[in-house]
Amino acid sequence: MNRSWTRDADIPVLAECDVVVCGGGPAGCAAAIASARHGAETLLLEKYGYLGGAAVAQLVSVVLSTNGVDFQGLWHEWARRLHAYRAMPPLIRTPSRYNPDCHWFRTSVDPEGVKRVWDEMLEQVGADVLLLAHLCGASVEDGAITGVVAHTRAGMQQIRAARVIDATGDAAVAHEAGVAWDRGVVGKPWPQQVSLKRRIGGQPIPGTDGAKPLAGGGTVAWRPEAIGRVNRKRVDPLDPMALSAAVRDMQHEVWRRSDDLPEGEYLVDTAAEPGVRTSRIVQGIERVEDDDAWNLRKRPDGIARSSWEIDVHPPDDEKPLPERWLHSGSEAYAEFARRLFAGEWFDIPCGCLVADGVDNLLVAGRCISAGYLAQGSLRIQQTCMATGEAAGVAAALSLREGVSPRDLDPQIVVAQLAEDRDVEPAFPSLREV
């Protein structure tokens, strides 16, 4: 069903641009930066009063990689800036809790630093940002998307654009435009469990007396914080009532637990929204299939590398878990993990970013065209960032070439990305990768 708005003439136009990007998370910010850098007049739309997506709104502050090859292009610039602001420590290697033979790259980010860095990067490339704008519709004319409708403090308003990039995570633009999508699973409405992060302050630091020495002498009191989560299974992330009830239930659990914290520890906050790992997966003109991920296939039209685990969080209590899931503990998966640890990855082809059935609409982030298991890997932050960067490049180059994204030669995008991503790694530990 086409859910596009039919009376756009009655909705005032707020802005017109070459490219409008919907969603200010890692995929959307990367898409807007790449689009603007390649000459497209770009506007980024975000529902919150800040940028950052899951790292901020969901408190998903951990950065993880099996081998570092999925840190590409803009990620290094983003990470380098965060590190300079003391908002990201260097990457370290720690054993995987699931496979002692494998060691992951790991670090974390400060949510406030993430907001600042994305804002700076977008401002420096000249991309416009519209905060506090809630997407509520898409305009489709003669089979091509021509813009989106957002609810702002001024009411319903249109943003007209030659290209639209859906980086909402939930594929909200694609859904409103009538693009086909699926959940990745059959026979159940819950693809993965949902979670709510919570932040606890005042935790003791092992091996310290509660104070940190300063380089110039003296000490400063530690204020350490730890982030954890509570989970819920059998929650349909697209059922508003069910998701709302699950969030409240998780909040209540966090509050109850906080009553029993040791003296000196305290609940700082809970995340602004739940962590939803999978909701809609868009049908693109190509699809990265589960076998592509499992066999770590490379593609000449690959625009992003995915090398994270097949990280499907069980949505219910059905057992046994399939052997291709990270949490299965199977020998088949252990061998797959060893290949990742040795430096392997699978490629995401360019066509996975191009929505099928509606022209001039690209997708980026966890909602791109993929199989269920492939999506369980590529949904991680740095890969979302890489698909966003590719979508921004594809949008800008399609305008420059005068063709729709579906007719754009993928090799033009691949070549441009190779040039753009020829950058110094953000951390010395990645130079050997």
Side-chain angles (χ1 to χ4, degrees):
M1 180 177 66
N2 191 319
R3 296 170 53 83
S4 59
W5 289 82
T6 57
R7 298 190 63 193
D8 290 342
D10 297 336
I11 303 173
V13 175
L14 175 64
E16 297 186 60
C17 55
D18 295 328
V19 178
V20 61
V21 181
C22 299
C29 288
I33 291 166
S35 170
R37 280 181 172 167
H38 286 285
E41 185 182 5
T42 304
L43 172 65
L44 174 63
L45 215 66
E46 168 54 42
K47 64 182 178 180
Y48 287 117
Y50 49 77
L51 303 169
V56 179
Q58 299 173 21
L59 294 179
V60 183
S61 60
V62 66
V63 176
L64 293 168
S65 177
T66 58
N67 56 31
V69 301
D70 50 355
F71 296 133
Q72 295 185 269
L74 275 170
W75 184 90
H76 292 284
E77 181 179 346
W78 175 80
R80 191 175 293 111
R81 289 177 183 236
L82 281 170
H83 185 62
Y85 287 138
R86 295 179 292 175
M88 176 191 274
L91 288 161
I92 60 172
R93 280 285 206 179
T94 60
S96 162
R97 73 181 67 175
Y98 305 104
N99 189 337
D101 296 333
C102 302
H103 288 67
W104 294 342
F105 283 107
R106 178 190 295 268
T107 188
S108 59
V109 295
D110 170 59
E112 199 64 28
V114 171
K115 297 178 192 177
R116 179 181 183 181
V117 166
W118 282 130
D119 190 86
E120 283 185 357
M121 292 177 71
L122 285 155
E123 185 171 12
Q124 288 175 1
V125 298
D128 291 321
V129 176
L130 179 62
L131 301 176
L132 304 172
H134 295 254
L135 179 82
C136 53
S139 302
V140 178
E141 300 172 9
D142 300 323
I145 195 165
T146 57
V148 297
V149 177
H151 191 275
T152 71
R153 297 296 173 90
M156 295 287 195
Q157 296 184 300
Q158 290 187 69
I159 296 91
R160 309 287 289 180
R163 302 288 183 269
V164 178
I165 299 176
D166 184 344
T168 62
D170 293 319
V173 180
H175 175 60
E176 294 295 331
V179 176
W181 54 268
D182 63 79
R183 296 172 180 269
V185 292
V186 178
K188 62 180 71 173
W190 37 73
Q192 297 196 56
Q193 65 181 232
V194 300
S195 304
L196 186 73
K197 289 290 190 86
R198 57 98 177 103
R199 186 160 41 180
I200 301 295
Q203 295 207 331
I205 298 293
T208 74
D209 59 1
K212 176 183 178 182
L214 297 176
T219 60
V220 61
W222 280 98
R223 190 183 171 189
E225 295 177 352
I227 291 181
R229 71 172 189 246
V230 294
N231 307 308
R232 290 295 181 270
K233 297 179 179 180
R234 296 179 176 271
V235 177
D236 180 354
L238 298 176
D239 181 331
M241 299 298 287
L243 188 59
S244 175
V247 170
R248 294 188 66 208
D249 189 42
M250 289 187 286
Q251 287 173 336
H252 294 169
E253 180 179 340
V254 170
W255 294 333
R256 287 193 302 270
R257 289 187 185 184
S258 70
D259 293 337
D260 297 324
L261 288 172
E263 185 176 356
E265 296 184 24
Y266 50 90
L267 177 64
V268 177
D269 58 2
T270 55
E273 64 176 43
V276 173
R277 297 171 176 88
T278 309
S279 52
R280 298 186 183 97
I281 301 174
V282 169
Q283 181 176 310
I285 62 172
E286 286 195 70
R287 191 175 183 88
V288 56
E289 301 291 354
D290 291 342
D291 282 346
D292 297 330
W294 184 251
N295 295 303
L296 299 167
R297 289 178 180 146
K298 314 302 185 291
R299 292 280 300 257
D301 56 348
I303 47 77
R305 295 173 174 178
S306 186
S307 64
W308 180 237
E309 311 275 4
I310 296 182
D311 194 3
V312 176
H313 288 244
D316 49 39
D317 297 319
E318 289 187 14
K319 297 287 178 65
L321 296 178
E323 69 172 5
R324 291 186 175 187
W325 289 20
L326 164 63
H327 306 91
S328 69
S330 71
E331 180 52 39
Y333 192 87
E335 176 56 33
F336 172 78
R338 285 190 282 270
R339 293 182 66 192
L340 293 178
F341 176 58
E344 283 280 15
W345 72 90
F346 66 90
D347 276 328
I348 299 169
C350 193
C352 294
L353 312 182
V354 182
D356 192 27
V358 174
D359 276 338
N360 300 334
L361 174 60
L362 295 124
V363 292
R366 65 176 170 88
C367 61
I368 69 170
S369 183
Y372 180 56
L373 301 187
Q375 195 269 349
S377 171
L378 62 80
R379 65 180 178 80
I380 199 167
Q381 180 173 227
Q382 60 264 24
T383 312
C384 288
M385 208 179 293
T387 60
E389 182 180 14
V393 168
L397 295 188
S398 70
L399 289 169
R400 185 185 303 173
E401 297 291 319
V403 297
S404 70
R406 74 173 56 246
D407 294 325
L408 181 66
D409 183 354
Q411 293 307 316
I412 297 176
V413 180
V414 171
Q416 186 62 63
L417 285 169
E419 181 179 333
D420 294 351
R421 290 172 173 169
D422 185 16
V423 297
E424 181 73 8
F427 298 109
S429 58
L430 292 169
R431 291 197 180 96
E432 62 193 55
V433 174

